[in-house]
Amino acid sequence: MDVRDSEETTFHGDILEAIFSHVPLVHLLAACHASKSWKRAVSSSLSHVNPIKPWLIILTQCPRAPHLITTHAYDPRSHVWLEIKPKPSMAIKHASAVRSSHSTLLYTLSSAEFAFSLDPLHLKWHHAPPPTVWRTDPIVACVGNHIVIAGGACDFEDDPLAVETYDIVKNAWVTCQSMPELLKGSTASTWLSVAVVGDTMYLTEKYSGMTYTFNPIANLWNGPFDLRPDQSVMFCVTGTLRKRLAVAGIVGEGENVKVVKIWVVKGELGSGMVMEELSEMPKEMVEKIMGGSEFGLGSVVVTWVGDFVYVWNSIKGEEVVACEVVNGGTCEWESVKNFAVNERTRMKRVVLSGADVCFENLRREVGIRMKVT
């Protein structure tokens, strides 16, 4: 009798694991409370059958006060869109525009306050005094315990290349070595791509590939380096894949976009550096994202998180292209309909972010209502 019961339980658990692999992650929370066997099956399913994958977070913010925000998330594990609704008591009101930097950091900047969020679902925000230099479109990055703010200064400021860091532990601003002179004509985030690997920030001019590195602990800039894989790349954005520096590049001539490729940087920047081509976006997806030659490259947004790269065009916002690096370094591409953007959101600010969500994140956020769309 005991043997038969054990065999039935094991068989039942295998079936549950297979079933749970098709259930959206947010619905598995309730399944964990059904019974101990269900909780074990959920854990096993997430570990061995269909693991959790990083989410794409899309915020739409009303340009008028009180600047209400709507948050959607795409879960590639379940291939579903979620609407994330905090309880009224948990809702965060921002007095200025929310912006994204190096894929996982969101921030707001005004003359009265600097606020930033490193939380995967961006439900928790840190509030700090504003930097001493007034900026409109700076580079912002989180490097270890430091938030780096570089460039983007207003015209009336003495140093357009000014750099400051905010120490999260000490809650204090520190003035750092200014950006290199060669970046003087392109200090705004509009022209620069930012990536963080370890204790180093990488700044790359999107059209030339010219790159500098900055270590906030050593307060030291290095460069320039050339991160443009070849001369046919006319626009590039840096990021991280599996904690390695990577480059997404648009290949073409003039306004004629031919292909979109991804490279991984191997070795130290400089003469020993190798740019290894990882994958190429399917042509039909390039057409969906670029939509012909009438759109500028500046509207292309690339978000990096974990093993995923998400590519979106803010002008043609109906589709998001996702690339996942799977075992062996091969890539799987998919085109996803963007449920977060529609006719009602055309006049709103749209911000993309990556979220390396874990099951515990969803457990802790008990005040959040997530609706599958």
Side-chain angles (χ1 to χ4, degrees):
M1 189 68 181
D2 292 340
V3 175
R4 185 168 63 250
D5 288 344
S6 176
E7 290 176 350
E8 290 176 358
T9 301
T10 302
F11 181 69
H12 189 229
D14 291 343
I15 295 176
L16 280 177
E17 289 177 17
I19 293 173
F20 288 152
S21 69
H22 299 282
V23 176
L25 185 64
V26 293
H27 290 168
L28 292 179
L29 285 171
C32 285
H33 297 288
S35 68
K36 291 183 179 179
S37 61
W38 277 41
K39 184 177 181 179
R40 287 195 298 268
V42 168
S43 177
S44 181
S45 180
L46 292 176
S47 298
H48 306 294
V49 184
N50 191 6
I52 297 174
K53 297 179 180 180
W55 290 5
L56 174 67
I57 306 291
I58 299 184
L59 281 72
T60 53
Q61 183 183 30
C62 182
R64 299 179 180 178
H67 304 289
L68 297 177
I69 290 178
T70 302
T71 304
H72 288 84
Y74 175 68
D75 176 7
R77 171 193 173 275
S78 312
H79 302 285
V80 296
W81 284 91
L82 310 167
E83 184 177 358
I84 303 175
K85 288 188 173 183
K87 287 183 177 180
S89 60
M90 299 178 63
I92 300 173
K93 296 181 180 179
H94 296 283
S96 56
V98 175
R99 303 182 183 185
S100 177
S101 181
H102 73 85
S103 299
T104 56
L105 169 68
L106 295 185
Y107 72 95
T108 65
L109 179 62
S110 69
S111 59
E113 181 185 65
F114 172 65
F116 60 94
S117 174
L118 300 169
D119 176 59
L121 299 179
H122 301 297
L123 301 170
K124 299 179 180 65
W125 286 73
H126 300 266
H127 300 271
T132 58
V133 176
W134 176 234
R135 309 164 190 270
T136 56
D137 187 21
I139 291 295
V140 180
C142 179
V143 186
N145 291 325
H146 301 271
I147 304 294
V148 181
I149 295 189
C154 293
D155 294 336
F156 57 77
E157 292 287 353
D158 294 332
D159 184 7
L161 299 170
V163 178
E164 297 172 80
T165 61
Y166 180 77
D167 191 315
I168 300 175
V169 177
K170 297 180 180 179
N171 298 321
W173 286 100
V174 177
T175 301
C176 299
Q177 181 183 358
S178 297
M179 299 170 67
E181 283 290 331
L182 284 178
L183 293 174
K184 193 169 186 178
S186 55
T187 63
S189 65
T190 305
W191 310 107
L192 295 173
S193 173
V194 59
V196 176
V197 180
D199 57 3
T200 303
M201 178 181 77
Y202 297 79
L203 279 188
T204 302
E205 274 195 344
K206 295 178 182 178
Y207 290 92
S208 69
M210 181 177 64
T211 299
Y212 282 90
T213 67
F214 178 67
N215 185 314
I217 299 175
N219 189 21
L220 182 65
W221 288 90
N222 282 309
F225 308 101
D226 187 4
L227 275 187
R228 189 163 59 164
D230 59 63
Q231 296 302 310
S232 65
V233 176
M234 56 183 183
F235 185 86
C236 56
V237 177
T238 54
T240 55
L241 274 175
R242 298 184 174 182
K243 299 181 180 181
R244 294 163 59 189
L245 185 64
V247 178
I250 296 177
V251 179
E253 184 178 352
E255 295 182 340
N256 180 27
V257 175
K258 296 180 179 179
V259 296
V260 177
K261 295 183 178 182
I262 297 175
W263 291 265
V264 174
V265 181
K266 292 189 172 183
E268 296 293 328
L269 297 192
S271 58
M273 178 182 66
V274 176
M275 303 286 289
E276 179 182 295
E277 184 177 327
L278 190 63
S279 186
E280 179 179 317
M281 183 185 293
K283 291 183 179 179
E284 64 274 13
M285 296 184 187
V286 174
E287 179 62 26
K288 285 184 178 181
I289 291 296
M290 300 309 301
S293 60
E294 69 271 20
F295 300 118
L297 301 179
S299 60
V300 177
V301 178
V302 182
T303 300
W304 312 74
V305 56
D307 295 340
F308 276 79
V309 185
Y310 293 97
V311 185
W312 179 67
N313 190 327
S314 61
I315 296 178
K316 294 199 64 175
E318 297 84 2
E319 296 282 336
V320 177
V321 170
C323 172
E324 179 185 9
V325 181
V326 295
N327 293 334
T330 58
C331 293
E332 294 180 354
W333 296 83
E334 69 168 335
S335 180
V336 181
K337 181 174 175 57
N338 189 351
F339 280 95
V341 176
N342 51 48
E343 291 300 324
R344 292 178 297 176
T345 62
R346 286 294 182 185
M347 301 305 294
K348 295 183 179 181
R349 170 181 287 271
V350 180
V351 180
L352 274 64
S353 175
D356 206 356
V357 176
C358 67
F359 210 41
E360 290 304 315
N361 290 133
L362 306 183
R363 289 182 191 274
R364 288 195 300 265
E365 307 302 345
V366 292
I368 302 302
R369 300 190 299 273
M370 296 192 183
K371 181 179 69 174
V372 178
T373 57

